[in-house]
Structure formats: structure tokens, C-alpha cells
Amino acid sequence: MSLPDNPYTRLPSVDSLLAHPDIAGLKERYGHTTVVAAVRAVLAERREALKAQPDSVPDTMRLVADCRKRLEAEFAPSLRPVFNLTGTVLHTNLGRALLAESAIDAVLAVLARPSNLEYELTSARRGDRDDHIDGLIRELTGAEAATVVNNNAAAVFLLLNTLAMRKEVIVSRGELIEIGGAFRIPDIMSRAGAKLREVGTTNRTHLKDYVEALNPHTALIMKVHRSNYAIMGFTATVPEEQLAELAHKNGLPFVEDLGSGTLIDLTAYGLPKEPTPQQALAKGTDLVCFSGDKLLGGPQAGILVGRKELIAKIKRNPLKRALRVDKMTLAALEATLRLYRSPELLGRQLPTLRLLTRTEEEIRTLAQRILPMVQAAVNTHAEVSIESCRSQIGSGSLPVDLLPSACLVLKPKGRGGGRALNRLAQAFRELPIPVIGRLEDGALRFDLRCLEDEAGFTDQLAFLRL
């Protein structure tokens, strides 16, 4: 009497699968220990599958393919490049500003070799890492001194902790902003050890409101630029010159948080006006902070510029070390700042400015070129057309100012409604380089303002699975 066939015996052993030539190649790439674990996991999954379907015994090549797929998934980076076709150029969730080529080269250079991060080559003494950017920032802004921390929220925190610990800071009620991630000025002020003294109303604040709030416990007067929202209609704000004069008359510093920050007059490029640190300092502001990875077009950083004695005091705060930037950030920031020395080349060399100044005609021409390839990729699953649209500069940088653009509009065919639309969007997110668009009015929209790698986008459409 013959014994019933045991499907488990038709699966190869761990050792025999490890001896397969293709598995040997995987061991060269991923290491013996990791490959053994993957082989065991794949075989265990197959044994479980055989319980439900005893006849579904895979061949060896299928098992090898499963091992390769498992290892590729395990070793795929979590942080990956994507195509930002959302229509928001400075998208916080997608990494904000793209670095210029010179900034990327500068980062790679200090990654591959030791650097003079805190070493003075002339005197052979220990140096200050801020020295690599201090001179450039002073040259470009007219400030007496500068320092850099890891982002603008840290810059606000550090200046408040340094200058207003256990004292009051006067701020207009209309400037008590909240930015992404529930970061609120009142909360950061409390954490920094300062006491908020809000004055005026949401839409109107007058000089007398600041005057009446002054007392022996006042540490400084602060102005916060509303870079992520606007108040319109029956409004009133106090000019920086008057606030600076009031602060100085009372022996206090006047500080300003510009938020996004830019070093150039954006109106010269046909873009909405945004205050610059140069303008703030010229109006009497003692200390200005702004971001490095928004309109400036550099790496994530919080830049503080202003009076030399105030910057020196901030740099002596022990928290400065906890918030300092690394060599990669300094290399990228220095290279980005150098670009501003040649303003006539900036529109070509700085990706942020290049993307913001693309014309609707240029973007529409791009849309017409790639339309047939996208239509072929979605085949019978969606209708694709070109429409005019509006791009957003950035969710935290001039969010109410929109730029004319063009987009591809993908509308699912047949029934399915929202589910079909979500499946379409997911299919594009599952491409080798995920494509991120926006869902609006029953369609998946790809604003092409930020698409510069046209070939990279179209070449991968062959992998689209709907």
C-alpha cells in the first residue's frame, strides 16, 4: 500500500535552496545571514499556503524569485525620491526646496572626506562652524553677525530662551500663528521659558497697544510674519520702524520672525512680494530669523541675523549646541548662499526660483508632449486631458498666492467612483519613482510645474499596473 503524497516533501530544503546559483548571487549582495532568514521565511509561507492548496507546489525558480522580491522589499529605502506633481512647489511633506547642483556637489565633497568643520586652517586652532556661512550671510543681508540652527522653529525657540527667559514678550494677537504639525507661537514661547503678552485684536493692532503692554518684566517686542495666511478687510498693523523705535526707546530689542524668508526681491521675477531680512534690518529690527529650505532654496535650517552682541549671546546659550547644524547642512547652505552673489544667474541655477518662474505656456507644452504616453499607460481605465490650473508656492510660504500652470487631468472610466479614483492614484504611487498628484473634483490631477525629469517620468509608465 503506497503512502499518500506529502506536498511538503516537494519543497526544497533550506540548504538546497541556498545552494542555487541565483541565491549565491543574492548572498553576495545582501549577506549570508540575511539571505538564510529570507529563504526560511519564504519556505514557511509556502508551507502555510500548501495547507489550503496542497497541489500548489511552486518550482524552484519561483521560490528564488520570491526570495529576491522579499530581500529587495526589505532593503528598499524608506526615504525615497518622488515626482511632486501636487502643484505645491515648496511642499513640506515632500521635502520643500530642491538643492542646486553646486549644493549637492558640496555635500558629497564633505561626506567623502574629512573637513575643516571646526578647524581654522590658517591658525591651526579649533574653529567655529558658523564661520563657514557667517561672512556670506553678513554680505548678503547687511547684518552685523549671523548664526544657524536646524530649522526656523529652533531659531525662534533659541532666541526666546536666550533673550526672554522668565520675562514677557509682546506680540500682536493677529500674529499668533500656527504652522504645520501644530507648531504654535504661544506654545513655543512657553517651552522657551518666556511669557506671552498678546496685544490688540485679531485684525487690528495699534502702537498704543504695545505702549500700554510695556512693563518692567518686558524682555522684547516681537513681530511674526504671517507667511502661511492673510488677514484682509478692516485691518491695522504697526510698521516695523515704529516698533523698533518704541523698543529702542525703552532699551529693548525688536525681533522679527520672517518665517519663509527670501534674500531677493521676488517681484523682479514676477512673483508676489515677500519681506527680506535686509529690509527688516534696514527698518531697525535687531534680530531676524528665517528658514533655509523655503524661498531661500537651500537645506533645512533656521538662520538668525542681526546685532553682533545679540547673536553672540545666543551662541553662548548651551542649547545652541543641541540645535546646531551638521557639516552637510553647512556645505549645502554655503553653496546656496554663494549663488546669490550672481543674481543674473539665480533664475537658472536655483531650482526653487526656476520652478516658480516657469510660464504656463512652457508647462502646457510639456503636458502636450507627455499626454500620449500617459493616455497609453492608463489605456481604457481613465480619460486624460489637459487643463489650466493654479500652482501654490508653498503651504507655509505665500500660500494664498497662486501661479498659472497646466495639469494632466485623469478621470476614471466606468463605475467605481471614489474607489476607482483612489486605485488610480495608488497605482501611480506604486511606480518605481512614486508620482504624487492631488485628487480634486473627481479626478487625479498632475500639475506639471515641478516636472523637470520628463524622461524619468515617462520611461516608468511601462510599470503602471491598473
Side-chain angles (χ1 to χ4, degrees), residues 174-249:
E175 298 170 3
L176 299 180
I177 66 166
E178 176 180 325
I179 61 174
F183 171 89
R184 295 178 173 182
I185 285 291
D187 295 339
I188 202 70
M189 200 170 288
S190 174
R191 291 287 183 176
K195 298 178 182 179
L196 169 64
R197 183 68 181 269
E198 56 184 279
V199 297
T201 63
T202 303
N203 60 319
R204 293 177 68 82
T205 304
H206 304 281
L207 184 62
K208 67 181 181 63
D209 296 319
Y210 290 92
V211 173
E212 291 171 358
L214 289 168
N215 66 76
H217 302 292
T218 303
L220 57 88
I221 296 175
M222 184 175 188
K223 184 174 183 61
V224 182
H225 179 55
R226 298 189 293 263
S227 59
N228 65 345
Y229 70 100
I231 297 177
M232 295 176 286
F234 187 57
T235 64
T237 58
V238 182
E240 289 92 330
E241 296 93 336
Q242 293 184 23
L243 290 177
E245 182 182 359
L246 176 64
H248 299 159
K249 197 176 292 184

Side-chain angles (χ1 to χ4, degrees), residues 15-233:
D15 288 340
S16 63
L17 195 53
L18 286 171
H20 193 281
D22 289 349
I23 293 292
L26 293 177
K27 285 190 283 187
E28 284 292 321
R29 181 176 179 183
Y30 298 108
H32 178 79
T33 303
T34 304
V35 172
V36 170
V39 167
R40 285 176 172 158
V42 166
L43 290 174
E45 289 173 355
R46 287 299 175 182
R47 291 190 192 98
E48 285 297 314
L50 287 173
K51 291 179 182 179
Q53 295 178 300
D55 295 330
S56 62
V57 180
D59 59 28
T60 301
M61 291 308 299
R62 175 64 184 275
L63 293 171
V64 171
D66 287 347
C67 290
R68 180 182 293 108
K69 185 177 181 180
R70 186 182 189 91
L71 288 164
E72 288 174 350
E74 288 180 354
F75 279 80
S78 175
L79 185 61
R80 301 164 56 192
V82 302
F83 283 107
N84 173 17
L85 305 188
T86 63
T88 300
V89 178
L90 296 169
H91 199 302
T92 300
N93 303 132
L94 302 182
R96 290 184 181 163
L98 305 181
L99 292 182
E101 289 294 330
S102 59
I104 295 171
D105 291 342
V107 172
L108 292 176
V110 298
L111 280 178
R113 295 175 179 270
S115 64
N116 61 328
L117 177 62
E118 291 186 352
Y119 184 83
E120 291 185 358
L121 296 173
T122 304
S123 64
R125 295 177 179 174
R126 179 170 182 166
D128 184 339
R129 64 180 63 196
D130 280 348
D131 288 346
H132 299 292
I133 47 83
D134 178 76
L136 270 170
I137 295 176
R138 286 189 289 107
E139 172 190 328
L140 294 169
T141 65
E144 294 179 6
T147 189
V148 179
V149 289
N150 59 14
N151 60 26
N152 193 50
V156 174
F157 177 87
L158 187 60
L159 75 85
L160 289 172
N161 181 263
T162 304
L163 305 178
M165 186 75 165
R166 292 187 291 274
K167 289 192 172 184
E168 293 183 1
V169 176
I170 303 176
V171 184
S172 168
R173 185 172 280 112
E175 298 170 3
L176 299 180
I177 66 166
E178 176 180 325
I179 61 174
F183 171 89
R184 295 178 173 182
I185 285 291
D187 295 339
I188 202 70
M189 200 170 288
S190 174
R191 291 287 183 176
K195 298 178 182 179
L196 169 64
R197 183 68 181 269
E198 56 184 279
V199 297
T201 63
T202 303
N203 60 319
R204 293 177 68 82
T205 304
H206 304 281
L207 184 62
K208 67 181 181 63
D209 296 319
Y210 290 92
V211 173
E212 291 171 358
L214 289 168
N215 66 76
H217 302 292
T218 303
L220 57 88
I221 296 175
M222 184 175 188
K223 184 174 183 61
V224 182
H225 179 55
R226 298 189 293 263
S227 59
N228 65 345
Y229 70 100
I231 297 177
M232 295 176 286

Side-chain angles (χ1 to χ4, degrees), residues 89-93 95-99 151-153 177-180 183 225-228 257-263 266 274 289-303 333 336 340 350-353 356 393-399:
V89 178
L90 296 169
H91 199 302
T92 300
N93 303 132
R96 290 184 181 163
L98 305 181
L99 292 182
N151 60 26
N152 193 50
I177 66 166
E178 176 180 325
I179 61 174
F183 171 89
H225 179 55
R226 298 189 293 263
S227 59
N228 65 345
D257 171 16
L258 286 183
S260 55
T262 179
L263 296 178
L266 293 178
E274 181 79 352
C289 63
F290 54 98
S291 295
D293 60 343
K294 294 183 181 178
L295 292 171
L296 184 70
Q300 177 180 298
I303 304 170
L333 182 58
T336 301
Y340 282 85
L350 192 69
T352 294
L353 193 57
L356 289 175
I393 294 175
S395 54
S397 309
L398 301 170

Side-chain angles (χ1 to χ4, degrees), residues 277-349:
Q278 303 95 298
Q279 293 168 342
L281 293 171
K283 292 176 181 179
T285 308
D286 300 296
L287 196 61
V288 182
C289 63
F290 54 98
S291 295
D293 60 343
K294 294 183 181 178
L295 292 171
L296 184 70
Q300 177 180 298
I303 304 170
L304 289 138
V305 300
R307 280 169 38 198
K308 190 172 184 178
E309 66 270 23
L310 295 179
I311 295 293
K313 194 172 183 179
I314 286 172
K315 292 179 70 168
R316 288 194 298 269
N317 188 326
L319 286 173
K320 172 62 166 65
R321 183 178 180 86
L323 301 173
R324 69 183 183 181
V325 296
D326 65 0
K327 61 184 180 181
M328 294 177 286
T329 300
L330 284 170
L333 182 58
E334 180 187 2
T336 301
L337 291 170
R338 288 190 187 282
L339 296 178
Y340 282 85
R341 283 177 162 172
S342 305
E344 66 278 3
L345 303 177
L346 203 58
R348 185 170 73 249
Q349 295 179 336

